[in-house]
């Protein structure tokens, strides 16, 4: 619930903060703040001590995840600059339905009827909100 709450605040704060600002610059500023917070937490909680135990696969896929996150943020901020939060945020949350589908395709996770119907409801709800 806290994640959802802060994600909602992200959209609201970003929409206000991005007025008259290049969306790529806004993404870069946001990223610096996130880097400081994430590394601070990693140091405080002792996670940095385990950095040597990361495998090559860990590093590759964490870096790929970072690339995907960065591209997501760039497109998200551009969409916020051009559209309404009430339309951009639901489209962004299509990632939940896509993650369900991609986890079945690439990770072999079970796609149950419940998951499939939930994903379809997310897609349908998103279409209703943006149209």
């Amino acid at each position: 619930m806290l994640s959802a709450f802060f994600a909602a605040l992200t959209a609201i704060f970003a929409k206000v903060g991005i007025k008259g600002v290049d969306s790529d610059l806004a993404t870069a500023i946001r990223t610096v703040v996130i880097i400081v917070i994430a590394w601070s937490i990693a140091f405080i909680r002792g996670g940095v001590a385990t950095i040597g135990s990361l495998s090559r696969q860990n590093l590759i896929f964490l870096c790929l995840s970072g690339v995907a996150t960065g591209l997501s943020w760039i497109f998200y901020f551009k969409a916020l600059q051009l559209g309404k939060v009430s339309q951009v945020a639901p489209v962004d949350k299509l990632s939940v339905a896509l993650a369900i589908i991609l986890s079945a395709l690439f990770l072999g996770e079970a796609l149950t009827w419940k998951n499939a119907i939930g994903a379809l409801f997310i897609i349908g709800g998103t279409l209703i909100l943006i149209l």
Side-chain angles (χ1 to χ4, degrees), residues 1-68:
M1 290 304 295
L2 287 173
S3 175
F5 175 74
F6 285 114
L9 285 180
T10 297
I12 302 302
F13 292 158
K15 182 66 177 180
V16 174
I18 204 167
K19 287 183 183 171
V21 176
D22 178 77
S23 62
D24 295 331
L25 175 62
T27 302
I29 292 168
R30 175 185 181 196
T31 302
V32 169
V33 172
I34 292 167
I35 287 170
V36 170
I37 291 170
W39 278 103
S40 296
I41 292 169
F43 276 107
I44 291 167
R45 296 185 67 183
V48 176
T50 63
I51 200 165
S53 67
L54 295 175
S55 69
R56 185 170 187 232
Q57 180 176 341
N58 293 142
L59 290 171
I60 289 169
F61 281 93
L62 288 172
C63 287
L64 287 172
S65 175
V67 169

